[in-house]
Amino acid sequence: GGEDAINTTIINFNNEKMQITWATRELFPNENVSFFYTFGEGKNKVWKPCTTYLLDQDYNSGCLFKTEGPTLTISIRNSNGSDELFSKNLKADFYIKPSPPENVTFFWKEDTVTVSCNKPERKAWCLRFELQYKSKFDKEWQSRTSKCCSIGEQGFDPRKCYSFRVRLRRLVPHCNVVQYSSDWAAETFWMNGTLLDSCDDDTTPQSKTVIILSCSLAVLLMMLILLILLCKWQRVQMSVLPAIPDPKYPFADLFNDHNGNLQEWLDKNDHVVLQTKLEYEDPESITEAESQQEDGKNSDKQGPLEKIFTFSGAAENNDGKAAEIACLIPASNTTAPFSGFHIIMNDDMYVML
């Protein structure tokens, strides 16, 4: 039952409510203890039972009650309150945890921002005003501390969005035996003196223009690369798989002028072909080749052909050249069997199968 026999946690919320907690499962494992407190001194002590308990697995582990004075005495007793297990006298003012700052304002001037809040009514000199900020490019908070309740900081980039938060901190050991700080006030987001909902909304028209230009440049670059690759692919394809020429183009006049009539096309172009052939061949070689060809034909046309072909009077007069020519001119509609086929020789010297 000594004064410091057990550890307790004592918090005075802005000098309005007290919260006392203890480790009941370790200290009183088999007993549900009761709690009493008093703000009186000397003979004027009036013990009050706790009306609002904090529970830990259905066991009393703390008490919440109103702050009524600067001095406090607490007593932890057995379940029926007859036997005191622990007691302690303390100064309630040394366990104050301040409330978050109220009415926080931001004043911007160029790259400097001044942050302030309402000043507490009691012992403002015991408080320190703490400011923390960071941009969207920072990983950790930057912290600044000043007397309550205003602080100024400079060096802010107007092109960046910043997050701000503030709180009050109690001085130790002049005012508190425990260093308690208030909860953080609501976080706000600012950019060049403009309040934003979040730093995700800080896209400026300039940054939008940069994004659009970057995307356009990337698209043009991709199109250029695809065009170069396409040209190279066509060259490789032409070298590996050359295109097969269409046979209708060398004979365009055959299909366009004569509708594919080979006989008519040959009649029209016969003199051109013959003239071209004579220009590039030696006349003597032509005569000699024709003679050899006619001799071969005469030797092959023994038997049935001798009965079919007739010779003109020029052959009977022993004119050798005329005889050769006469052998090449068959009678009108003469039929010649050749390897199972019947060949009809007409007056125009063309073969019909």
Side-chain angles (χ1 to χ4, degrees), residues 156-325:
F156 292 96
D157 190 341
R159 297 169 297 178
K160 295 181 180 180
C161 177
Y162 291 89
S163 304
F164 291 90
R165 63 182 185 180
V166 293
R167 67 180 178 181
L168 295 175
R169 191 172 62 192
R170 188 86 169 175
L171 286 178
V172 175
H174 305 290
C175 300
N176 262 30
V177 295
V178 180
Q179 192 173 25
Y180 285 143
S181 299
S182 71
D183 296 333
W184 290 104
E187 186 175 348
T188 56
F189 306 92
W190 294 81
M191 180 178 178
N192 196 21
T194 302
L195 180 63
L196 303 176
D197 292 334
S198 69
C199 281
D200 296 333
D201 302 331
D202 65 339
T203 304
T204 61
Q206 181 179 1
S207 62
K208 289 183 179 179
T209 304
V210 172
I211 292 174
I212 293 174
L213 292 177
S214 301
C215 294
S216 302
L217 183 61
V219 171
L220 292 176
L221 183 60
M222 289 296 296
M223 293 177 63
L224 179 61
I225 293 175
L226 289 176
L227 184 61
I228 294 174
L229 292 177
L230 181 61
C231 293
K232 288 191 175 183
W233 169 248
Q234 289 181 348
R235 294 176 61 182
V236 171
Q237 189 177 20
M238 290 178 62
S239 61
V240 176
L241 299 173
I244 299 176
D246 194 337
K248 72 179 181 180
Y249 294 107
F251 305 99
D253 54 345
L254 172 62
F255 297 97
N256 296 333
D257 300 338
H258 303 285
N259 294 326
N261 191 330
L262 180 62
Q263 183 71 42
E264 183 180 339
W265 179 75
L266 290 174
D267 290 342
K268 183 178 179 181
N269 295 279
D270 184 45
H271 68 284
V272 178
V273 176
L274 179 59
Q275 182 179 357
T276 303
K277 183 176 182 181
L278 292 176
E279 288 178 357
Y280 289 95
E281 293 187 6
D282 186 7
E284 296 180 358
S285 62
I286 294 174
T287 304
E288 183 179 1
E290 288 179 352
S291 300
Q292 294 177 359
Q293 183 178 5
E294 294 302 330
D295 292 340
K297 289 182 179 180
N298 291 334
S299 62
D300 293 337
K301 294 176 182 178
Q302 298 299 326
L305 293 179
E306 291 178 355
K307 299 178 182 180
I308 296 173
F309 297 120
T310 61
F311 299 91
S312 64
E316 295 175 358
N317 293 330
N318 296 323
D319 189 349
K321 183 65 176 176
E324 291 180 5
I325 296 174

Side-chain angles (χ1 to χ4, degrees), residues 80-149:
N80 57 17
S82 59
D83 188 12
E84 186 176 81
L85 305 177
F86 171 77
S87 65
K88 185 174 184 178
N89 297 319
L90 54 95
K91 291 288 186 179
D93 290 347
F94 283 176
Y95 296 89
I96 294 178
K97 179 178 181 179
S99 298
E102 297 179 354
N103 296 330
V104 180
T105 59
F106 291 81
F107 176 75
W108 289 78
K109 185 177 181 181
E110 296 179 354
D111 66 338
T112 302
V113 60
T114 301
V115 186
S116 58
C117 68
N118 286 353
K119 195 172 185 178
E121 296 179 358
R122 297 179 64 252
K123 294 186 178 181
W125 63 270
C126 284
L127 298 174
R128 289 294 178 265
F129 190 50
E130 183 179 2
L131 169 68
Q132 287 191 347
Y133 62 90
K134 67 176 180 179
S135 71
K136 60 185 301 183
F137 305 102
D138 298 327
K139 295 182 179 180
E140 297 181 354
W141 291 93
Q142 304 294 324
S143 184
R144 298 291 183 272
T145 303
S146 178
K147 292 182 179 180
C148 185
C149 290

Side-chain angles (χ1 to χ4, degrees), residues 317-335:
N317 293 330
N318 296 323
D319 189 349
K321 183 65 176 176
E324 291 180 5
I325 296 174
C327 290
L328 296 174
I329 301 176
S332 177
N333 296 327
T334 302
T335 302

